Amino acid sequence: MERISALPDPIIREAVTRALGEDIGPMDITSHHFVPSKTQAQATMLARQEGVLAGLPLAIYAFRELDPQCRIETYLHDGQLFSAGTVLLKIEGNARAILSAERTALNFVQQLSGVATLTHRFVQATAGTATQILDTRKTVPGLRLLQKYAVVCGGGKNHRMGLYDHFLIKDNHLTLLTTQELRDRIKAARQAHPEATIEIEASSLEQVKTFSSLDVDVLLLDNMDLSTLAQALQIIGGRIKTEASGNMTLDRVAQIARLGVDYISVGALTHSAPAVDISLEFQVLGLD
């Protein structure tokens, strides 16, 4: 299981360029017609509520893409906690450029900080246990790396990046195979991709008994209540890493973590995280 500890420059460039193009199109007609071209301004990115920061490098890139000469001062780094009223960033430069980049910059920081903040809450809910919080593939299409990076900023861990780097044999795959065919295909998969984790989903105790004897790295315990999970962990006896998944809430992950599972995967981290309230306060400095 990988961790995206930093966003590669090409990913930042591609994401911001696409977002600016989507927002500005041929021209920011409001700024072009109502803001003198040489006006200089200062803007302050201000947190309106507490959270965990993520996405600041994308905001910086957005401002510099439209005004390469702008001056930017940062006060926090991604992954740091902030409270309401915290100044995250200050920028001085061309007023038109700042206004044209404003929404793109805020969208990235608000949304990704939302993911990081929700992840932090889940991580805090499992504090004192060895359980790790994982993300899933339930991400906004085209923004997966950004959202998974935000999960790491919040203290979580990345599950598979996609279908290419981690075997996950789920219920729909299992309907196509007998137990012996499953064993044979796991062996072939191990030989073909020795570096990849092999994980299999179990939704019943009967499947747990069968699958715990297979050559797999992780057993995914899907949509089980606390009692069934406890029984499943007894059957497995620590021989294989375990992941619990399905309808995870803050209260539920705390209870499940105390049972001793290795991982809990939470789709809500990326598909349901509310944006953090962050604003950009604008002040005109004069003409250049």
Side-chain angles (χ1 to χ4, degrees), residues 201-279:
E201 177 184 278
S203 55
S204 69
L205 292 178
E206 190 62 36
Q207 285 185 324
V208 170
K209 292 173 184 175
T210 300
F211 297 162
S212 59
S213 66
L214 299 175
D215 179 24
V216 296
D217 303 298
V218 183
L219 198 54
L220 173 60
L221 308 173
D222 187 51
N223 278 302
M224 294 183 180
D225 59 31
L226 287 174
S227 175
T228 306
L229 274 170
Q231 293 178 69
L233 292 172
Q234 278 191 323
I235 293 169
I236 296 163
R239 298 190 307 276
I240 306 170
K241 295 285 187 181
T242 54
E243 174 189 339
S245 180
N247 300 311
M248 292 300 170
T249 64
L250 287 169
D251 289 338
R252 192 158 186 259
V253 294
Q255 295 174 312
I256 291 172
R258 287 194 289 270
L259 294 177
V261 297
D262 296 289
Y263 309 110
I264 299 175
S265 53
V266 185
L269 300 183
T270 51
H271 71 58
S272 296
V276 175
D277 188 2
I278 297 170
S279 65

Side-chain angles (χ1 to χ4, degrees), residues 23-38:
D23 200 28
I24 297 172
M27 179 192 296
D28 174 358
I29 57 176
T30 307
S31 295
H32 180 79
H33 286 282
F34 289 89
V35 180
S37 62
K38 294 185 179 181

Side-chain angles (χ1 to χ4, degrees), residues 9-25 57-66 100-101 104-105 108 143 146:
D9 288 342
I11 296 297
I12 294 175
R13 180 170 60 251
E14 190 276 334
V16 174
T17 300
R18 178 159 41 91
L20 287 173
E22 174 183 70
D23 200 28
I24 297 172
L58 294 130
I60 292 170
Y61 192 96
F63 289 123
R64 286 189 171 145
E65 179 70 6
L66 298 188
S100 294
T104 292
F108 279 125
L143 298 181
L146 303 187

Side-chain angles (χ1 to χ4, degrees), residues 45-46 59 63 101-112 276 278-280:
M45 188 175 286
L46 185 69
F63 289 123
E102 174 185 6
R103 180 42 53 196
T104 292
L106 284 174
N107 280 350
F108 279 125
V109 178
Q110 288 175 321
Q111 296 292 334
L112 296 182
V276 175
I278 297 170
S279 65
L280 197 72

Side-chain angles (χ1 to χ4, degrees), residues 3-272:
R3 284 175 63 88
I4 305 176
S5 57
L7 288 174
D9 288 342
I11 296 297
I12 294 175
R13 180 170 60 251
E14 190 276 334
V16 174
T17 300
R18 178 159 41 91
L20 287 173
E22 174 183 70
D23 200 28
I24 297 172
M27 179 192 296
D28 174 358
I29 57 176
T30 307
S31 295
H32 180 79
H33 286 282
F34 289 89
V35 180
S37 62
K38 294 185 179 181
T39 300
Q40 295 292 295
Q42 175 182 283
T44 301
M45 188 175 286
L46 185 69
R48 297 295 187 183
Q49 66 183 93
E50 65 179 18
V52 178
L53 185 61
L56 203 61
L58 294 130
I60 292 170
Y61 192 96
F63 289 123
R64 286 189 171 145
E65 179 70 6
L66 298 188
D67 180 5
Q69 280 73 51
C70 71
R71 297 174 296 281
I72 297 176
E73 186 174 2
T74 57
Y75 295 84
L76 290 179
H77 300 290
D78 280 3
Q80 289 187 286
L81 290 160
F82 56 82
S83 57
T86 300
V87 173
L88 307 177
L89 171 152
K90 282 187 179 179
I91 176 172
E92 289 187 12
N94 181 267
R96 278 188 184 178
I98 293 173
L99 291 170
S100 294
E102 174 185 6
R103 180 42 53 196
T104 292
L106 284 174
N107 280 350
F108 279 125
V109 178
Q110 288 175 321
Q111 296 292 334
L112 296 182
S113 294
V115 172
T117 301
L118 184 59
T119 301
H120 176 72
R121 290 174 184 155
F122 274 90
V123 171
Q124 288 298 102
T126 61
T129 74
T131 302
Q132 295 180 307
I133 297 296
L134 303 180
D135 55 25
T136 71
R137 287 167 49 240
K138 296 175 182 178
T139 55
V140 176
L143 298 181
R144 178 168 297 171
L145 288 179
L146 303 187
Q147 289 190 297
K148 282 180 170 283
Y149 163 75
V151 166
V152 173
C153 289
K157 192 176 178 70
N158 299 139
H159 203 285
R160 57 179 177 165
M161 293 297 110
L163 298 173
Y164 54 87
D165 66 329
H166 180 125
F167 290 101
L168 180 47
I169 309 161
K170 303 192 76 175
D171 54 354
N172 287 337
H173 302 107
L174 294 169
T175 60
L176 305 172
L177 303 168
T178 66
T179 301
Q180 186 54 52
E181 288 172 334
L182 180 60
R183 290 182 185 277
D184 293 342
R185 288 177 183 271
I186 288 173
K187 182 178 180 180
R190 182 76 74 189
Q191 293 172 343
H193 301 276
E195 76 292 345
T197 295
I198 299 181
E199 183 170 2
I200 189 168
E201 177 184 278
S203 55
S204 69
L205 292 178
E206 190 62 36
Q207 285 185 324
V208 170
K209 292 173 184 175
T210 300
F211 297 162
S212 59
S213 66
L214 299 175
D215 179 24
V216 296
D217 303 298
V218 183
L219 198 54
L220 173 60
L221 308 173
D222 187 51
N223 278 302
M224 294 183 180
D225 59 31
L226 287 174
S227 175
T228 306
L229 274 170
Q231 293 178 69
L233 292 172
Q234 278 191 323
I235 293 169
I236 296 163
R239 298 190 307 276
I240 306 170
K241 295 285 187 181
T242 54
E243 174 189 339
S245 180
N247 300 311
M248 292 300 170
T249 64
L250 287 169
D251 289 338
R252 192 158 186 259
V253 294
Q255 295 174 312
I256 291 172
R258 287 194 289 270
L259 294 177
V261 297
D262 296 289
Y263 309 110
I264 299 175
S265 53
V266 185
L269 300 183
T270 51
H271 71 58
S272 296

